Amino acid sequence: MNVINSNLIHDNWMSRYNSLDYLTQKKIDELSDAFDRGEREKYQLIKIKRSYKYPEKGDVFILQPRKDLYLYGLVINAHIKNSYGDAMSIVAIFKLKTHEFNIDEFTADYSKLMLFPIMVARNYWTSGFFYNVGQIDDLGNVPSYGFYHHYRVHKFWNEYGEKINEQPDYLASGATTIIGVGYKVNKEIIIDKSLLK
């Protein structure tokens, strides 16, 4: 009988979760229960404005996880064709708040990453969950990233399905559903309460 290897992403999350205080763990558990029950109003992003323009590398966007809380995101790569779709994008979401629909307060400061890498389809923009507010030419020193498949012999892959030989700085498991980003962002808000100040 073969033993399934541990899942690196799951193990890292559990280590982080176990380091949190009881009340924070309880709030995360309540959010996870709501996610399992499909209670989208408790974790879904709030729509801002629809856009049918294809996202491009360097696009800066905002998202609204809670009423009047706007965070910045950045498109790291776009127009990706892989097993998830023909027009996928890689985005980073930052712990950078704004109340303005522009890029005046944005810097590509990767020390303030909230979520990365996030692989998403265009429907985040067409549904109005991501709203572009500007564009930058220089993405700065983007950390190494990749995708982890614990069930494969080779564990690390890039967004095109090509093998990566070394473990990158940041890992994700694959594409994120239309409700997944809201759930993940709201988990991070529970952990970092300063985002609500």
Side-chain angles (χ1 to χ4, degrees), residues 6-25:
S6 63
N7 182 325
L8 181 62
I9 292 177
H10 177 264
D11 293 348
N12 288 344
W13 164 249
M14 289 310 300
S15 176
R16 187 179 177 205
Y17 173 87
N18 289 330
S19 72
L20 301 171
D21 63 83
Y22 171 75
L23 288 177
T24 302
Q25 289 181 348

Side-chain angles (χ1 to χ4, degrees), residues 126-187:
T126 59
S127 297
F129 295 122
F130 291 173
Y131 179 66
N132 286 357
V133 292
Q135 226 267 346
I136 60 173
D137 296 323
D138 183 5
L139 301 186
N141 188 20
V142 179
S144 64
Y145 65 90
F147 297 88
Y148 174 73
H149 302 288
H150 75 279
Y151 52 86
R152 295 185 183 177
V153 173
H154 192 88
K155 306 295 184 191
F156 308 119
W157 304 77
N158 68 17
E159 59 265 50
Y160 299 102
E162 301 163 339
K163 294 178 183 179
I164 300 173
N165 291 326
E166 295 183 6
Q167 181 175 333
D169 294 331
Y170 292 89
L171 284 171
S173 58
T176 304
T177 65
I178 194 64
I179 59 173
V181 172
Y183 169 65
K184 291 178 180 181
V185 169
N186 275 290
K187 261 201 313 192

Side-chain angles (χ1 to χ4, degrees), residues 21-55:
D21 63 83
Y22 171 75
L23 288 177
T24 302
Q25 289 181 348
K26 185 177 179 183
K27 288 180 180 178
I28 290 172
D29 292 344
E30 289 169 356
L31 182 70
S32 296
D33 290 344
F35 183 82
D36 291 342
R37 291 191 298 267
E39 297 170 358
R40 293 187 180 192
E41 70 281 359
K42 294 184 179 177
Y43 55 82
Q44 181 62 290
L45 298 175
I46 299 170
K47 293 182 180 183
I48 301 171
K49 186 178 180 182
R50 296 175 188 268
S51 171
Y52 294 95
K53 183 179 177 183
Y54 276 90

Side-chain angles (χ1 to χ4, degrees), residues 60-74:
V60 178
F61 61 90
I62 56 172
L63 59 148
Q64 185 181 192
R66 305 272 182 98
K67 184 172 174 54
D68 297 323
L69 172 62
Y70 297 94
L71 300 172
Y72 278 116
L74 176 65

